[in-house]
Amino acid sequence: MTLNPRTLRRALLLGCAAALLASNASAQSGAPEYDIVIRGGRVLDGAGNPWVSADVGIKDGRVAKVGTIAARGKREIDAKGRYVAPGFIDMMDQSGEVLLENGTAENKLRQGVTTVIAGEGGTPVEASKIPAYFKQLESQGIGVNFGTYYATHQARMQIMGDKAGAPTPAQMAAMEKEVGIAMRAGVFGITSALIYPPSSFQTTEDLIKLAKVASQCNGFYATHMREESSKLIPAIEEAIAIGEKGGVKVEIFHLKNAYAPQWGKGMPKAVALVDSARARGVDIAADMYPYPAGGTGVEITVPNWVWADGVEKGMERLKDPAVRAKLKQQVAAGSMADWSNLVEASGGWDKVVLANGQNPKYEKFHGKNFVEIGKALGIDPEDAAWNIVVEAYPKRSMALYFMMSEQDIETALRQSWVSIGSDAGASAAPGKIDTLGLPHPRSYGTFPRVIAEYVKRRPILSLEQAVRKMTGWPAQRMGLSDRGLIRQGMRADVVVFDYDKLDDVAGWTNPTDFPTGIDTVIVNGAVALDQGKLGNVKAGAVLRHACS
């Protein structure tokens, strides 16, 4: 039978009306079509676009719809007056080991972080054991999505130990093999931490050879550069050279101009150098944390030659009065070709603050600079620092180095290719310092601080720009094609926050205070932080970089 056009049009209209009535009946009956519906929020898509007023429907761990949603969800979240954004991505995390102990990652989740990329210091296991390590994380459960790099010094130590020296061809071939095993296991690339022995003993050529292995899997070379102070520009040039000659993408960890004599001058030069490299096709970018002080071990205050025969021998050298006399002269003279002098970079011992002496004897000096500590003990600040290093061993005493200026932080933040990385790990328990043993506010406040300080308190970034730096851009950078945006089909990693109440809270005297204004965090479609309360939800996934 053939319907005439008029009859066909009427049938179609009746069919549409019936479908609409059925849909309305379903919505009114409360039959849920979604697992979660976030209603009436100001949705920031993560790509830098202006916010839109919309509902967000989540089903089976993914964003199913963004817009006006009539149907109900099994769980309804009222976001009226608040912002809805993709979960934040920590581009320089230090949680690789602590997640085995406690996978909750509460200090990350309360910042709105749903994904972390770790591995500046490598993986907690050797290359051949990475698959088992990933499986253990998955079986135990983790609160955030987790990806990692493999460190070049891991391969070096396995083959050569922790002493200085050039590798033989056979040793280099063995290191290349380890990198290949790690890449095929799913790491995102290789890292170097070139101010720390034994990583500092690696040459540019060594790193290029290892980068070429990572390039076979389209991997990264991510680096804590050899210098971030007086030789910042040559250090960036080295990173660029490794990227170009090794055929890898380059990520500069915690970009900074950590050198008081060059504040306001070094960062513009660094930005221009990266821009120039990108203009000619080098895939290079950077991450940073928004604080004027870095944090690392007190042992970095002595030149690398002290550790050339390994850590044990280095500790013995530090006890020798004759060696100390030489070291004091070298510290006063400034950086060396193979050592970045962070005391000089900070502007003196009075800008270096003991954060964790790892010894009850020195707890009363936490928060004091080494000039103050030296005076209290009746010794030079150098002796105070090195006594603490020796007496803490095998633990690592930690310090805060006030090396950066707010002007340079602002300059770096404005760059579209800069993302955010905390350089901090998850804490093993609420309100405790992170796994590094470093009480730095970046462990609890990095991500809310980007908005609270650099959007709200001073207009360095727009809200949309800030959110992009923490979501869409890092996801794109790392090749996480189904994360970082609130769009249909994407993984449902979501943070809901109250802009007016958002504050990082954590500071130098209260570094483990939780932020305010973030009340709901969703990881892979599961509510991990629910109206400010942390549930026993470990919905994170291990992220493996594909090696094709």
Side-chain angles (χ1 to χ4, degrees):
M1 180 179 68
T2 301
L3 297 176
N4 63 45
R6 184 174 180 181
T7 304
L8 180 60
R9 186 163 55 251
R10 184 180 179 188
L12 288 171
L13 289 172
L14 289 172
C16 289
L20 182 59
L21 287 171
S23 175
N24 287 339
S26 174
Q28 291 169 7
S29 69
E33 291 188 18
Y34 300 93
D35 297 323
I36 302 171
V37 177
I38 305 171
R39 295 203 178 274
R42 299 173 179 177
V43 177
L44 293 155
D45 68 355
N49 293 312
W51 65 266
V52 296
S53 182
D55 305 325
V56 177
I58 296 170
K59 188 175 180 63
D60 297 330
R62 293 183 181 269
V63 176
K65 184 176 181 180
V66 181
T68 301
I69 298 177
R72 307 300 299 173
K74 295 176 185 176
R75 171 70 190 275
E76 295 274 326
I77 296 174
D78 181 6
K80 187 176 181 180
R82 292 178 292 166
Y83 287 91
V84 181
F88 302 146
I89 299 174
D90 190 339
M91 287 287 277
M92 194 197 174
D93 170 76
Q94 301 281 6
S95 301
E97 188 170 355
V98 72
L99 290 179
L100 292 171
E101 176 185 350
N102 181 353
T104 305
E106 181 172 357
N107 60 315
K108 298 288 182 174
L109 289 170
R110 288 190 179 277
Q111 293 181 66
V113 172
T114 58
T115 298
V116 302
I117 307 296
E120 179 204 21
T123 55
V125 298
E126 61 188 65
S128 63
K129 296 179 180 178
I130 291 174
Y133 163 64
F134 284 164
K135 287 181 181 178
Q136 184 177 352
L137 289 174
E138 289 173 327
S139 63
Q140 292 182 189
I142 49 178
V144 291
N145 303 308
F146 175 83
T148 187
Y149 299 102
Y150 173 79
T152 56
H153 75 261
Q154 285 184 264
R156 181 184 171 97
M157 288 184 69
Q158 186 167 335
I159 306 303
M160 297 179 62
D162 65 352
K163 299 179 181 179
T168 65
Q171 287 173 326
M172 180 54 69
M175 287 186 238
E176 291 170 352
K177 181 179 179 180
E178 292 301 308
V179 169
I181 292 170
M183 291 301 306
R184 290 188 292 276
V187 301
F188 281 80
I190 57 173
T191 59
S192 66
L194 298 177
I195 71 167
Y196 304 112
S199 186
S200 60
F201 302 143
Q202 296 173 301
T203 67
T204 306
E205 289 304 314
D206 292 342
L207 295 169
I208 289 171
K209 290 175 183 177
L210 298 179
K212 286 181 178 179
V213 179
S215 74
Q216 297 169 14
C217 295
N218 193 30
F220 284 83
Y221 169 68
T223 179
H224 180 151
M225 296 184 298
R226 208 174 292 274
E227 259 271 18
E228 299 171 319
S229 304
S230 61
K231 301 182 184 68
L232 173 63
I233 300 306
I236 296 175
E237 290 172 340
E238 179 187 35
I240 291 170
I242 292 167
E244 286 189 295
K245 296 178 182 179
V248 288
K249 296 168 281 191
V250 177
E251 179 75 9
I252 296 174
F253 282 146
H254 47 53
L255 177 66
K256 61 174 75 77
N257 175 39
Y259 191 54
Q262 289 294 317
W263 283 352
K265 301 175 184 177
M267 185 58 73
K269 292 179 182 177
V271 167
L273 183 56
V274 173
D275 280 340
S276 176
R278 288 181 60 84
R280 68 172 185 268
V282 180
D283 193 347
I284 180 172
D287 54 71
M288 66 178 293
Y289 51 79
Y291 295 92
T296 192
V298 183
E299 84 288 340
I300 198 66
T301 60
V302 298
N304 288 335
W305 66 262
V306 172
W307 316 106
D309 296 308
V311 176
E312 293 287 346
K313 180 64 176 179
M315 289 297 169
E316 290 303 313
R317 284 176 175 149
L318 269 185
K319 298 174 185 177
D320 187 333
V323 171
R324 286 203 179 186
K326 180 179 180 180
L327 290 176
K328 290 177 184 180
Q329 293 176 347
Q330 292 180 334
V331 171
S335 294
M336 300 178 180
D338 65 343
W339 173 60
S340 181
N341 186 338
L342 298 193
V343 178
E344 176 195 32
S346 302
W349 284 104
D350 61 330
K351 303 298 191 303
V352 183
V353 174
L354 179 65
N356 187 352
Q358 299 283 13
N359 187 328
K361 176 180 175 180
Y362 295 110
E363 285 182 2
K364 62 184 177 182
F365 296 121
H366 290 176
K368 302 290 186 182
N369 68 59
F370 280 98
V371 171
E372 295 171 322
I373 298 170
K375 286 181 179 179
L377 296 173
I379 56 179
D380 291 340
E382 294 91 340
D383 289 314
W386 302 335
N387 286 351
I388 290 171
V389 170
V390 170
E391 292 177 41
Y393 184 74
K395 293 182 178 180
R396 189 184 185 204
S397 53
M398 307 296 287
L400 300 172
Y401 299 79
F402 285 83
M403 304 178 290
M404 288 80 80
S405 72
E406 284 293 344
Q407 179 184 357
D408 288 332
I409 291 171
E410 291 176 5
T411 298
L413 274 175
R414 287 189 177 101
Q415 308 313 309
S416 61
W417 39 263
V418 169
S419 57
I420 305 301
S422 69
D423 194 10
S427 56
K432 300 295 184 182
I433 58 177
D434 74 4
T435 186
L436 300 178
L438 177 64
H440 190 301
R442 65 193 183 194
S443 300
Y444 281 71
T446 291
F447 289 82
R449 179 174 174 79
V450 171
I451 296 174
E453 183 67 26
Y454 298 97
V455 177
K456 290 172 62 175
R457 292 193 277 267
R458 37 182 153 157
I460 304 305
L461 301 170
S462 69
L463 179 58
E464 291 81 0
Q465 289 171 328
V467 169
R468 173 189 170 273
K469 282 184 175 297
M470 300 187 288
T471 59
W473 165 237
Q476 179 183 354
R477 175 80 177 137
M478 298 306 298
L480 305 177
S481 59
D482 60 351
R483 299 185 190 274
L485 300 173
I486 294 186
R487 288 182 183 167
Q488 186 174 341
M490 304 296 283
R491 298 281 182 181
D493 296 335
V494 182
V495 55
V496 180
F497 63 90
D498 186 320
Y499 179 82
D500 294 330
K501 295 179 180 178
L502 188 68
D503 192 13
D504 47 306
V505 181
W508 304 114
T509 59
N510 57 322
T512 59
D513 284 2
F514 287 123
T516 58
I518 296 173
D519 53 24
T520 301
V521 178
I522 298 170
V523 180
N524 292 316
V527 180
L529 186 68
D530 191 350
Q531 299 181 55
K533 296 181 180 179
L534 191 74
N536 189 27
V537 175
K538 295 179 181 177
V542 172
L543 306 176
R544 294 171 174 84
H545 178 70
C547 182
S548 55

